[in-house]
Amino acid sequence: MHRMIMSLLLSLFLVLISGKKIIAMLRKLHFGQTIYDLAPEAHKSKQGTPIMGGLMVAGAVLICALLLHPRQWNGKWDFMLALLAVSFLSMLVGFADDFTKAVLKRSMGLTGWQKIFGQVFVATAFTLYCYFNPYVGSKIVVPLLNVEWDLGIWYIPLMILTIIFMVNSANLQDGLDGLLSSVSSVGSAGWGLMALFFLQAVSLKYDSRLDGNYYSIAIFAMALCGAEMGFMRFNHYPAKVFMGDTGSMFVGGAMVGMALLLRQPLMLLLINFTMVMSSASVIIQRTYFKLTHGKRIFKMSPIHHHFELCGYTETEICTLYATVTAVLSLIAILSLNGLRLV
């Protein structure tokens, strides 16, 4: 437990002390946000705000993960290594997208096919890792019912799609000052507690390596929580720096990575509900637009822009989203009560 607390505090401290220097460096390199033409009018003033602020989050998480890793490293099946891999590989796709925006001044960044190619590669590699991992496999836990569901070979395509969906959902949610950082700080704390309670709620044949792996997830989650809390110091409205695709895809990879390693992908619907709804609102909007030949359900998608155009401030929307995430995370944790798996 003390490593989890240390992880949170250390990552928070690292981001707070490095934030101003990194922002100054990003300004010097002219890595500024390019606002696309269809953005809400209020966002036009954000033109030129530094992007790639997610680098400070990723750096703090990496340092904490390496310094506070519990007990011995478990070789290729070590969960901490897996989490770092899926998070940083996802981040590389986002970094390439941000670099294209900042240096080449293409507001849309990489083409859709370029993004998908990178994301499919990362998703496939991580899914196969989980599938062949003796501590994960093809079985997932069904929330509330307290049973396991063996997906068999279908685990591979379903989890590949889940990873791609969640990484892009995190990316879509990063549209308001402080939104993704506030939601992900709460959500990552939820995953950390899930990992901690999983040790007590799940009855397994004792294996010290599995015990250490679950603890690794908890430490990683609290490192991400602390880093996001520190990032909010610079990202709250009016933002001095944006997370960028670099940070949002890092967060998306981290969230779905923790879910798959805990065999709890269905819990993404609770703990990361607002991210899911960001993507769902875009899908609904586009489908309805095509079916009705130009009509819209929302004033703008993703749905946080709809709330913004309805008159809510960015701060109010962030508070609402963080509160919803906190409540649903508590429900997710409570759902583990009575869970016993062999």
Side-chain angles (χ1 to χ4, degrees):
M1 185 69 176
H2 71 283
R3 285 179 182 264
M4 293 174 62
I5 298 173
M6 289 173 61
S7 183
L8 185 148
L9 294 177
L10 178 58
S11 61
L12 172 63
F13 176 74
L14 289 172
V15 173
L16 289 177
I17 64 170
S18 66
K20 290 185 178 180
K21 293 182 179 179
I22 292 177
I23 293 172
M25 179 190 70
L26 294 174
R27 287 189 181 279
K28 186 176 181 180
L29 294 172
H30 302 290
F31 286 174
Q33 177 70 48
T34 301
I35 304 298
Y36 70 104
D37 296 335
L38 297 177
E41 190 63 32
H43 287 219
K44 300 298 176 65
S45 62
K46 301 179 182 183
Q47 179 79 20
T49 302
I51 56 175
M52 300 191 195
L55 289 171
M56 66 179 82
V57 173
V61 171
L62 176 62
I63 292 172
C64 291
L66 296 178
L67 289 179
L68 297 172
H69 184 281
R71 303 175 184 175
Q72 75 279 1
W73 291 83
N74 298 320
K76 63 181 179 180
W77 301 131
D78 192 286
F79 281 10
M80 187 71 84
L81 290 177
L83 284 172
L84 290 174
V86 69
S87 301
F88 276 88
L89 287 174
S90 297
M91 186 190 78
L92 284 177
V93 178
F95 179 84
D97 193 43
D98 280 340
F99 188 83
T100 303
K101 294 175 185 177
V103 177
L104 302 182
K105 302 302 179 184
R106 285 172 48 190
S107 61
M108 300 305 294
L110 296 176
T111 65
W113 284 111
Q114 289 172 329
K115 277 187 183 180
I116 287 296
F117 178 81
Q119 291 173 351
V120 167
F121 173 80
V122 176
T124 301
F126 187 71
T127 297
L128 290 175
Y129 169 87
C130 291
Y131 183 77
F132 291 108
N133 191 319
Y135 302 114
V136 184
S138 60
K139 292 181 180 180
I140 65 172
V141 178
V142 180
L144 302 178
L145 297 180
N146 296 339
V147 297
E148 289 179 314
W149 183 14
D150 192 346
L151 298 176
I153 196 65
W154 287 103
Y155 178 92
I156 295 175
L158 290 174
M159 293 307 109
I160 288 174
L161 292 175
T162 299
I163 293 170
I164 295 172
F165 179 82
M166 288 307 304
V167 169
N168 284 297
S169 295
N171 185 228
L172 285 172
Q173 191 165 73
D174 189 30
L176 300 179
D177 294 358
L179 182 58
L180 182 59
S181 54
S182 59
V183 167
S184 58
S185 63
V186 176
S188 57
W191 283 116
L193 292 174
M194 284 280 287
L196 187 64
F197 281 98
F198 213 72
L199 292 171
Q200 303 171 356
V202 181
S203 177
L204 292 164
K205 183 178 179 180
Y206 180 74
D207 189 321
S208 60
R209 288 174 293 181
L210 180 60
D211 183 81
N213 274 338
Y214 283 151
Y215 198 26
S216 290
I217 296 176
I219 291 170
F220 179 91
M222 298 314 290
L224 180 58
C225 176
E228 293 290 6
M229 289 170 61
F231 187 71
M232 285 173 61
R233 163 68 179 80
F234 310 101
N235 185 233
H236 70 81
Y237 182 85
K240 298 179 178 65
V241 65
F242 294 140
M243 194 174 292
D245 288 4
T246 301
S248 63
M249 291 191 183
F250 175 86
V251 169
M255 293 292 180
V256 74
M258 289 186 284
L260 265 61
L261 291 175
L262 285 171
R263 298 187 295 131
Q264 296 271 12
L266 294 176
M267 281 297 186
L268 289 164
L269 297 173
L270 287 176
I271 297 178
N272 298 115
F273 172 78
T274 59
M275 292 183 186
V276 173
M277 285 308 301
S278 292
S279 283
S281 65
V282 172
I283 295 171
I284 292 170
Q285 182 86 321
R286 290 181 178 177
T287 302
Y288 188 78
F289 185 86
K290 290 180 179 179
L291 291 176
T292 59
H293 305 289
K295 293 183 180 180
R296 293 179 171 84
I297 292 180
F298 309 113
K299 293 184 178 181
M300 189 174 183
S301 63
I303 197 169
H304 51 258
H305 288 315
H306 170 80
F307 294 138
E308 187 180 11
L309 294 177
C310 285
Y312 292 92
T313 66
E314 295 188 43
T315 302
E316 288 173 336
I317 297 171
C318 290
T319 302
L320 172 64
Y321 273 48
T323 302
V324 169
T325 301
V327 172
L328 293 179
S329 294
L330 288 174
I331 293 174
I333 294 167
L334 291 173
S335 73
L336 293 180
N337 184 42
L339 182 63
R340 293 291 185 270
L341 301 175
V342 177

